[in-house]
Amino acid sequence: MKQVTSDEISKVLKYGELIPQMESALRKISSASDYGIDQPVRSVVRIKPQEAALGIMPVYCQDDEILVTKLISYFPNNKIHPSHHALIIAFNSQNGVPIAILDADVLTEMRTAAASAVASKYLAKPDSKIMAIIGSGVQAKSHYYALSEIFQFTEVRVYSRNTQTAERLCKEIKGVLCTSVKEAVKDADIITTVTSSTKPILQQDWIKPGVHINAVGACLPDSQEISSEIMQSAVVYVDNREAALKESGDVILGKAEIYAEIGEVIAGSKESKTSETTVFKSLGLAIEDAVSVKLILEKLT
């Protein structure tokens, strides 16, 4: 069985190829039966003393001949170690024989950012110039690079409670370090929230009408990043309805009405309402991991 490290993945997985694959995967999952996709909502084991969780994410896609499962741990209170760790096991879809085990940390960072890039392509204004990133961890960095494949930003603003990591990120991406969320999001065209906050950090009166928001944190039903006021007034898109209604605190606690899956927009069955404020609530799907794994293994063969 092949073992694939994050270093190997970093060398072969590029956003220019990954984003189109993610667009195809998101379209397919919104018509799962047409492509022979079986993807249950992730199972989550809660580790209450650490306010943490372990997720199990299997998927089979007949159309792409993919059978994988991911194990991902989420420990938001980690100080020394990253908050997320993940492994993926890929199986031969014809006989069930395990064929590879992949370190999925870099893969998860990149596929999550690629999904937000796809959503932003359809939901943000094409001439978007100012991006605000709330958070400064690995997802903040990956989202900058992924969205920069789609848009030519003239200004990227960063705010994080961790000033040191925010300063490092700003230095790398030539971003503007802000002292508050309100300062970072003022007049921004695209806002990406990638924090471990369990309480809303983004408020309605801070954002301009018509902004697009990628809401990436708050991946548990009792956590929120986006205020209920925003979630109820914006046009809300998700990667998967069933998952959002079960897992997303932004949707559940925010009492949000889901307008569409982003895959429905890609397929043309739902509108991309770019003239209105839009939210893409990302939870991360096993099919996103699966198409990333297929791309990686093809490149390493």
Side-chain angles (χ1 to χ4, degrees), residues 88-119:
I88 293 178
I89 303 173
F91 300 84
N92 184 305
S93 65
Q94 303 301 313
N95 54 31
V97 174
I99 56 176
I101 184 166
L102 299 89
D103 185 338
D105 291 349
V106 168
L107 184 156
T108 301
E109 294 162 22
M110 293 185 68
R111 65 81 154 143
T112 304
S116 293
V118 172

Short mmCIF file of all heavy atoms in Angstrom, two decimals, residues 88-119:
data_model
loop_
_atom_site.label_atom_id
_atom_site.label_comp_id
_atom_site.label_asym_id
_atom_site.label_seq_id
_atom_site.Cartn_x
_atom_site.Cartn_y
_atom_site.Cartn_z
N ILE A 88 -6.24 10.01 5.02
CA ILE A 88 -7.20 9.44 4.06
C ILE A 88 -6.70 8.07 3.62
O ILE A 88 -5.51 7.89 3.33
CB ILE A 88 -7.36 10.35 2.82
CG1 ILE A 88 -8.04 11.65 3.21
CG2 ILE A 88 -8.18 9.64 1.74
CD1 ILE A 88 -8.20 12.64 2.08
N ILE A 89 -7.62 7.12 3.58
CA ILE A 89 -7.32 5.80 3.03
C ILE A 89 -8.10 5.64 1.73
O ILE A 89 -9.32 5.86 1.70
CB ILE A 89 -7.71 4.67 4.02
CG1 ILE A 89 -7.00 4.86 5.36
CG2 ILE A 89 -7.35 3.31 3.41
CD1 ILE A 89 -7.45 3.90 6.43
N ALA A 90 -7.38 5.31 0.68
CA ALA A 90 -8.00 5.07 -0.63
C ALA A 90 -8.04 3.57 -0.90
O ALA A 90 -7.07 2.86 -0.63
CB ALA A 90 -7.21 5.78 -1.73
N PHE A 91 -9.17 3.11 -1.45
CA PHE A 91 -9.38 1.69 -1.74
C PHE A 91 -9.60 1.51 -3.24
O PHE A 91 -10.11 2.41 -3.92
CB PHE A 91 -10.61 1.16 -1.00
CG PHE A 91 -10.55 1.28 0.49
CD1 PHE A 91 -10.91 2.46 1.12
CD2 PHE A 91 -10.14 0.21 1.27
CE1 PHE A 91 -10.87 2.58 2.50
CE2 PHE A 91 -10.10 0.31 2.66
CZ PHE A 91 -10.46 1.51 3.27
N ASN A 92 -9.25 0.34 -3.75
CA ASN A 92 -9.63 -0.03 -5.10
C ASN A 92 -11.15 -0.21 -5.11
O ASN A 92 -11.69 -1.00 -4.34
CB ASN A 92 -8.93 -1.33 -5.50
CG ASN A 92 -9.22 -1.73 -6.93
OD1 ASN A 92 -10.37 -1.86 -7.34
ND2 ASN A 92 -8.17 -1.96 -7.70
N SER A 93 -11.84 0.55 -5.97
CA SER A 93 -13.30 0.53 -5.95
C SER A 93 -13.88 -0.75 -6.55
O SER A 93 -15.08 -1.00 -6.43
CB SER A 93 -13.86 1.74 -6.70
OG SER A 93 -13.53 1.68 -8.07
N GLN A 94 -13.04 -1.58 -7.17
CA GLN A 94 -13.52 -2.83 -7.77
C GLN A 94 -13.44 -4.02 -6.81
O GLN A 94 -14.28 -4.93 -6.87
CB GLN A 94 -12.71 -3.15 -9.04
CG GLN A 94 -12.74 -2.05 -10.09
CD GLN A 94 -14.14 -1.72 -10.56
OE1 GLN A 94 -14.92 -2.61 -10.86
NE2 GLN A 94 -14.46 -0.43 -10.61
N ASN A 95 -12.42 -3.99 -5.93
CA ASN A 95 -12.25 -5.16 -5.06
C ASN A 95 -12.05 -4.80 -3.59
O ASN A 95 -11.89 -5.69 -2.75
CB ASN A 95 -11.07 -6.02 -5.53
CG ASN A 95 -9.78 -5.22 -5.67
OD1 ASN A 95 -9.56 -4.26 -4.94
ND2 ASN A 95 -8.92 -5.62 -6.61
N GLY A 96 -12.03 -3.51 -3.27
CA GLY A 96 -11.93 -3.09 -1.88
C GLY A 96 -10.56 -3.16 -1.26
O GLY A 96 -10.40 -2.90 -0.07
N VAL A 97 -9.55 -3.46 -2.06
CA VAL A 97 -8.19 -3.56 -1.53
C VAL A 97 -7.65 -2.14 -1.26
O VAL A 97 -7.72 -1.27 -2.13
CB VAL A 97 -7.26 -4.28 -2.54
CG1 VAL A 97 -5.81 -4.24 -2.06
CG2 VAL A 97 -7.73 -5.72 -2.73
N PRO A 98 -7.12 -1.89 -0.06
CA PRO A 98 -6.52 -0.57 0.21
C PRO A 98 -5.34 -0.34 -0.72
O PRO A 98 -4.48 -1.22 -0.89
CB PRO A 98 -6.06 -0.67 1.67
CG PRO A 98 -6.86 -1.80 2.26
CD PRO A 98 -7.07 -2.77 1.13
N ILE A 99 -5.30 0.85 -1.33
CA ILE A 99 -4.22 1.13 -2.28
C ILE A 99 -3.30 2.26 -1.82
O ILE A 99 -2.15 2.34 -2.27
CB ILE A 99 -4.76 1.46 -3.68
CG1 ILE A 99 -5.76 2.63 -3.63
CG2 ILE A 99 -5.40 0.24 -4.31
CD1 ILE A 99 -6.26 3.09 -4.99
N ALA A 100 -3.77 3.10 -0.92
CA ALA A 100 -2.91 4.22 -0.49
C ALA A 100 -3.42 4.80 0.82
O ALA A 100 -4.63 4.78 1.10
CB ALA A 100 -2.86 5.30 -1.55
N ILE A 101 -2.51 5.30 1.60
CA ILE A 101 -2.85 6.09 2.78
C ILE A 101 -2.13 7.43 2.64
O ILE A 101 -0.94 7.47 2.34
CB ILE A 101 -2.46 5.36 4.09
CG1 ILE A 101 -2.92 6.19 5.30
CG2 ILE A 101 -0.98 5.04 4.16
CD1 ILE A 101 -2.88 5.41 6.61
N LEU A 102 -2.88 8.49 2.77
CA LEU A 102 -2.35 9.82 2.51
C LEU A 102 -2.43 10.70 3.76
O LEU A 102 -3.45 10.71 4.45
CB LEU A 102 -3.12 10.51 1.38
CG LEU A 102 -3.14 9.86 0.00
CD1 LEU A 102 -4.31 8.87 -0.12
CD2 LEU A 102 -3.24 10.91 -1.09
N ASP A 103 -1.35 11.42 4.01
CA ASP A 103 -1.39 12.48 5.01
C ASP A 103 -2.28 13.57 4.42
O ASP A 103 -1.94 14.16 3.38
CB ASP A 103 0.02 13.00 5.26
CG ASP A 103 0.08 14.03 6.37
OD1 ASP A 103 -0.97 14.65 6.65
OD2 ASP A 103 1.15 14.24 6.95
N ALA A 104 -3.39 13.86 5.07
CA ALA A 104 -4.40 14.70 4.44
C ALA A 104 -4.43 16.14 4.96
O ALA A 104 -5.36 16.88 4.65
CB ALA A 104 -5.78 14.07 4.60
N ASP A 105 -3.43 16.54 5.73
CA ASP A 105 -3.46 17.90 6.27
C ASP A 105 -3.38 18.94 5.15
O ASP A 105 -4.23 19.83 5.04
CB ASP A 105 -2.31 18.10 7.26
CG ASP A 105 -2.51 17.31 8.54
OD1 ASP A 105 -3.62 16.79 8.74
OD2 ASP A 105 -1.56 17.20 9.34
N VAL A 106 -2.37 18.85 4.30
CA VAL A 106 -2.22 19.79 3.19
C VAL A 106 -3.37 19.62 2.20
O VAL A 106 -3.92 20.60 1.69
CB VAL A 106 -0.86 19.60 2.49
CG1 VAL A 106 -0.81 20.36 1.16
CG2 VAL A 106 0.27 20.06 3.40
N LEU A 107 -3.76 18.39 1.94
CA LEU A 107 -4.87 18.12 1.04
C LEU A 107 -6.15 18.82 1.52
O LEU A 107 -6.85 19.46 0.73
CB LEU A 107 -5.08 16.61 0.93
CG LEU A 107 -6.14 16.08 -0.04
CD1 LEU A 107 -5.80 14.63 -0.43
CD2 LEU A 107 -7.55 16.11 0.55
N THR A 108 -6.43 18.71 2.82
CA THR A 108 -7.63 19.33 3.38
C THR A 108 -7.58 20.85 3.26
O THR A 108 -8.57 21.50 2.91
CB THR A 108 -7.82 18.92 4.84
OG1 THR A 108 -7.93 17.49 4.93
CG2 THR A 108 -9.08 19.54 5.43
N GLU A 109 -6.42 21.41 3.57
CA GLU A 109 -6.25 22.87 3.43
C GLU A 109 -6.56 23.32 2.00
O GLU A 109 -7.28 24.30 1.78
CB GLU A 109 -4.81 23.26 3.76
CG GLU A 109 -4.41 23.05 5.20
CD GLU A 109 -2.90 23.03 5.37
OE1 GLU A 109 -2.21 23.60 4.48
OE2 GLU A 109 -2.41 22.47 6.36
N MET A 110 -6.00 22.59 1.03
CA MET A 110 -6.10 23.02 -0.36
C MET A 110 -7.48 22.76 -0.94
O MET A 110 -8.03 23.60 -1.64
CB MET A 110 -5.02 22.33 -1.19
CG MET A 110 -3.61 22.77 -0.84
SD MET A 110 -2.34 22.07 -1.92
CE MET A 110 -2.70 22.91 -3.48
N ARG A 111 -8.07 21.62 -0.64
CA ARG A 111 -9.39 21.34 -1.23
C ARG A 111 -10.47 22.23 -0.64
O ARG A 111 -11.40 22.64 -1.32
CB ARG A 111 -9.74 19.86 -1.16
CG ARG A 111 -9.95 19.23 0.22
CD ARG A 111 -11.33 19.49 0.77
NE ARG A 111 -11.78 18.50 1.72
CZ ARG A 111 -12.48 18.76 2.79
NH1 ARG A 111 -12.79 20.02 3.11
NH2 ARG A 111 -12.89 17.79 3.58
N THR A 112 -10.32 22.59 0.65
CA THR A 112 -11.28 23.51 1.26
C THR A 112 -11.21 24.88 0.61
O THR A 112 -12.23 25.50 0.28
CB THR A 112 -11.02 23.63 2.78
OG1 THR A 112 -11.06 22.32 3.36
CG2 THR A 112 -12.05 24.52 3.44
N ALA A 113 -9.99 25.35 0.40
CA ALA A 113 -9.79 26.65 -0.24
C ALA A 113 -10.25 26.62 -1.69
O ALA A 113 -10.83 27.59 -2.20
CB ALA A 113 -8.32 27.05 -0.15
N ALA A 114 -10.02 25.49 -2.36
CA ALA A 114 -10.45 25.36 -3.76
C ALA A 114 -11.97 25.42 -3.86
O ALA A 114 -12.52 26.02 -4.80
CB ALA A 114 -9.92 24.07 -4.36
N ALA A 115 -12.68 24.82 -2.90
CA ALA A 115 -14.14 24.87 -2.90
C ALA A 115 -14.63 26.31 -2.71
O ALA A 115 -15.58 26.76 -3.37
CB ALA A 115 -14.71 23.97 -1.81
N SER A 116 -13.98 27.05 -1.82
CA SER A 116 -14.35 28.46 -1.62
C SER A 116 -14.06 29.28 -2.88
O SER A 116 -14.81 30.21 -3.20
CB SER A 116 -13.58 29.05 -0.44
OG SER A 116 -13.98 28.45 0.78
N ALA A 117 -12.97 28.94 -3.57
CA ALA A 117 -12.65 29.64 -4.81
C ALA A 117 -13.74 29.41 -5.86
O ALA A 117 -14.14 30.33 -6.57
CB ALA A 117 -11.29 29.19 -5.34
N VAL A 118 -14.24 28.17 -5.95
CA VAL A 118 -15.32 27.86 -6.88
C VAL A 118 -16.57 28.65 -6.51
O VAL A 118 -17.21 29.27 -7.37
CB VAL A 118 -15.62 26.35 -6.89
CG1 VAL A 118 -16.87 26.05 -7.70
CG2 VAL A 118 -14.43 25.57 -7.44
N ALA A 119 -16.92 28.64 -5.23
CA ALA A 119 -18.11 29.38 -4.79
C ALA A 119 -17.96 30.87 -5.09
O ALA A 119 -18.90 31.52 -5.57
CB ALA A 119 -18.34 29.15 -3.30
#
